[in-house]
Amino acid sequence: MLSALTEQPLLIALLALLSLGGIFGALLGFAAVRFRVEGNPISEQINALLPQTQCGQCGYPGCRPYSEAITAGDAINKCPPGGEETIQALADLLDVEPQPLDAEHGTEKAPVVAWIREDECIGCTKCIQACPVDAILGAAKVMHTVIADECTGCDLCLDPCPVDCIDLIPRKEGIAFWHWSLPTEETPPVDIIASDSRSRDAA
Amino acid sequence: MRDVLLATLPGIIILTWFFGPGTLINILLGALVALITEYAVTRLRGQNPRLAVSDLSIVVTSTLLCIALPPYAPWWLIVLGVVIAVLLGKHVFGGLGYNPFNPAMVGYVVLLISFPVQMSSWATPRGLAEVPGLLDTLRHLFLPDTIDGVTAATPLDLLRQNTGLLFKDLLASRPELTGWGGVGWFEVNLAFLAGGAWLLYRRIFTWHAPLAMLAVLGLCALIGYDGGSSESGGSPLFHLFSGATMFAAFFIITDPVSSAVSNKGRLIFGALIGALIYLIRTLGNYPDAVAFAVLILNFCAPFIDHYTQPVVYGTRSKDS
Amino acid sequence: MREIHDIHGGIHPPERKSLSRPGELRDTPLPAHLILPLRQHLGVPAKAIVNVGDTVLGGQVLAQAQGAMSVPVHAPTSGTISAIEPRPIAHASGLADTCIILETDGADQFIACEGIPEWQTVAPSLLVERIREAGIAGMGGAGFPTAVKLNPGDSKPIDTLIINGTECEPYITADDTLMQCQAEALVEGAVILAHVVGAKHIVIGIEDNKPEAISRVTSAVQDASAEIEVASFPTKYPSGGEKQFIEILTGQQVPSGGIPADIGLVCVNPGTAVAAKQAIIDGKPLTHRIVTLTGEALGKPGNVIACIGTPISHLMGDAALSAEERQRIIHGGPMMGFAVSDLDAPITKITNCLLAPTARELPPPPPAKPCIRCGHCAEVCPASLLPQQLYWYARAKDHEQLSEHRLLDCIECGACAYVCPSQIPLVQYYRAAKGQMRDSEQEKRRSDNSRERFEARQTRLEAEALAKEAKRAARKAAAQEKAAQNGEDPIQAAIERAQARKIEQGES
């Protein structure tokens, strides 16, 4: 019989491919059952990349709902506080093309923190209830103040305040936050050994 | 770049002496084509064309390619080869500093595979035949129908095609094999060796890659040489001084962009090229193996780099 | 005789040291006002304790240290505080920082100073306090609070104190001059510091291009009260980097991410050692330092002792600067320094050199060409890094690969950029990348923290809602039980009571 088979090269090729397909299919099926992972870890990973301001500018009520929406296929360019860096990180994680920030959802601004003008605060606790990360210290009829280190700058506290005494001030100003920026073609020839700070704007 | 061009001069002069002005004319034609192509491409890409052309790196590429091409290759072969080297070997990858393959070798290999006949238009060396004069050469190059009377086989070709003759018998019937590398080729290799030594002295590159390549090639030839039988692969001296060996050792594998980055890596790079050259010459289908060996190792260079990283300060495991 | 080792890589740029005549120290006239930044060190800025209008004496504390990683600021001379406000300082960013402006009165009166003559009998911790109170920070350029460096903790015993007399950067001769003119003070300071850290050995390392300094220090150590070794080694840039210096003298490498104390060493600049001697023996705080004024644009280059806080313009005037168009004044040396954006900025505790080159002397470099992967940069890197790879990854902003290739071990010496045939400003890429990485990490920590707080809040709100629900259910159950017991519906009863009250209120 074998000799009869060897005279049919097409048949042999077909049999070989079918058996290979069968073997690998069985292996994959086994792996799908044996190594199954519950839940969707991608959602967690996406959430870990988002800036956690819980501001809602993306259109979702918080970062986790947005991360779940991205898992379901939504665009990755809706997060202004995350900015370009977050879009790039998401693109790397999900292996998609990075896109510029969707202007409909806001523009990338310098990081800010909220600051309460204490002279005007009436102690109503509305801002405390609004803060998604409990970054405002205070109680009813007691002075409210923002814990700057915990504040994400989401600006959800500005609307509820009845006396409008909350400002958003830049978080990263001053020498302690300055660092060099990457040379570009437009940067005038920078001295390798001594740099001319006049020709570069403080980043 | 200028130093590299200067260093090729002794080799070019000897080539012209032994094989006629074909190579010289090719080099001039090639340089012209290269400059035009580079200027046009950098302009199209939105870069500064004068800056790109001014450092003469493209002239080095075209010169190296034209030295490797046979002296009586028709003019359109030169033009095609140079354009392919500039576009496919360099700019498609991003321009200067981005090419993973040696552009001259890319051009050479494309031509070799596409036009095998024209790529074997080698000349008979001086001493065995009349070296063509300038006008004759121009006629051969630009009116290619008159090739046939001139082309001859190179010593490496002859060794390949040898069927059953002992080396000394082969030598008797084909006087082109006289001398350590064959007539003319020995002197050419010596001239390129001199140019390369001068570049080493000027510290244009380090000794690691050339020395490794020559040492390993010589060693392989030594192991494979059995005294001149019909199966012999050629003596070590023959391999070292014939064909494009010295030219490759000092001008091709030392191209910094496409070779390994660290000195340790360069040793491995050169050694493997030497071994591959010997293998392809003796077991492969082509008489001179330099281009293929170089391209294969260009492919491997990032891999070599990854495994020859230095130990960073402060990361040594404590001995005591 | 100590075995001298070699570091990987290194370069030999032209030294240009004789231009500033090392060994000749001169004074400089007192400027009309001094600008004293509150932060002249690595760490938290000091806090001003004087007010505008106060009269102060030289040596008086003007700003107190805030915590351990902080250093006080003293008045270098007598005068009046005219302002405490942001002023431009000598920094690569060109930004301003809070400074105390002192109008000098010319009398140069100093507070009464009390040293500790019997310091050998005093506990090292008290000596460290004195050094901190004297406002001493690393004077080699890093400005690390010296008191912190001298206190690595009991888990890191110190075996050797080394004084870094290398000064490998071209043009700078401040340490050379100090070693020639203040060798005795240096030796005394070294002995004091060794006592403070408990070191059994003291080594002063000097590069062999300073023969006078070597001979002066060698003769000074003969009279020292402890045994001090003077080791000289071949000149190479950047042998003076702390890690490289340690490798040269001891053959050991400081572990990546660690400090020299991890291998039992403390390394100190000669200026810092002299300041320590002045603090302990003379009771004087850090108020002056030696600065090299050099460069071909100066008519009178040399080394001066200047008050901390002297405006750079004053020193340039003293050195007869004949400025060209677009003159750069470089704070530091040609390899690791930066151009000062405002000449009214002051010198600080870490200013070791002001370099005023002519355009011919240090011409601006041509535009950078593409990298041709020649590998010269890796050959000269003293930290055995791969500058080429770091360059590509810095351009790509690939932080993961940058960490893997150990960007943070780069000492930013500039040797790679110096040898690059394409004139790529490599060090700027690394500095930018390091800043971005630090920024990213900080942002990541913040967002992780915010996520935890948010989730904690959600959990709390849910728990509160559940508790409320549970209470309401419990009340309802209790009410229903009561109704079942009493035979009446408590809700109905409550409604009737409310209606009755309403009728009552309506009537009255």
Side-chain angles (χ1 to χ4, degrees), chain A residues 14-191:
Chain A
L14 211 59
L15 275 172
L17 283 175
L18 277 173
S19 40
L20 274 175
I23 294 173
F24 284 120
L27 269 170
L28 281 173
F30 172 69
V33 172
R34 170 81 173 76
F35 299 112
R36 184 184 190 71
V37 174
E38 283 310 319
N40 197 346
I42 268 285
S43 216
E44 283 299 320
Q45 289 172 321
I46 294 175
N47 197 19
L49 291 176
L50 294 175
Q52 304 302 319
T53 48
Q54 319 293 349
C55 59
Q57 285 181 58
C58 54
Y60 297 91
C63 298
R64 182 174 290 281
Y66 183 39
S67 70
E68 280 160 14
I70 293 179
T71 313
D74 202 350
I76 58 173
N77 62 344
K78 294 191 180 173
C79 178
E84 202 188 309
E85 205 179 314
T86 305
I87 295 175
Q88 187 66 51
L90 285 171
D92 284 340
L93 174 69
L94 301 170
D95 211 11
V96 296
E97 276 299 305
Q99 288 148 18
L101 184 61
D102 192 352
E104 260 180 55
H105 294 274
T107 50
E108 191 173 353
K109 293 190 274 274
V112 291
V113 290
W115 193 73
I116 294 175
R117 292 197 298 276
E118 296 187 349
D119 291 339
E120 300 164 35
C121 174
I122 59 172
C124 68
T125 75
K126 292 226 169 66
C127 58
I128 296 178
Q129 291 164 43
C131 177
V133 292
D134 285 341
I136 305 185
L137 204 57
K141 302 270 174 42
V142 171
M143 179 58 67
H144 299 346
T145 190
V146 176
I147 308 172
D149 281 341
E150 306 293 352
C151 173
T152 63
C154 70
D155 94 3
L156 287 175
C157 54
L158 264 63
D159 284 339
C161 177
V163 295
D164 199 15
C165 69
I166 307 184
D167 288 324
L168 287 176
I169 55 176
R171 165 154 65 91
K172 293 209 270 191
E173 264 190 354
I175 274 192
F177 295 104
W178 178 87
H179 68 77
W180 297 85
S181 23
L182 277 179
T184 60
E185 261 89 49
E186 286 82 43
T187 324
V190 174
D191 222 359

Side-chain angles (χ1 to χ4, degrees), chain B residues 157-245:
Chain B
D157 263 334
L158 292 172
L159 214 58
R160 278 215 57 69
Q161 295 159 12
N162 175 27
T163 45
L165 284 180
L166 286 180
F167 190 73
K168 58 178 177 19
D169 296 328
L170 185 62
L171 185 56
S173 65
R174 304 303 303 257
E176 293 97 321
L177 287 170
T178 316
W180 284 349
V183 175
W185 285 104
F186 174 66
E187 287 81 353
V188 167
N189 272 282
L190 217 56
F192 281 121
L193 174 61
W198 182 71
L199 287 177
L200 268 177
Y201 165 75
R202 296 270 297 165
R203 294 164 153 256
I204 303 292
F205 45 76
T206 60
W207 53 266
H208 301 79
L211 187 68
M213 176 188 144
L214 295 173
V216 171
L217 179 58
L219 192 65
C220 289
L222 190 64
I223 295 172
Y225 189 54
D226 52 9
S229 76
S230 57
E231 317 286 311
S232 111
S235 74
L237 276 174
F238 180 79
H239 274 287
L240 286 177
F241 285 97
S242 189
T245 308

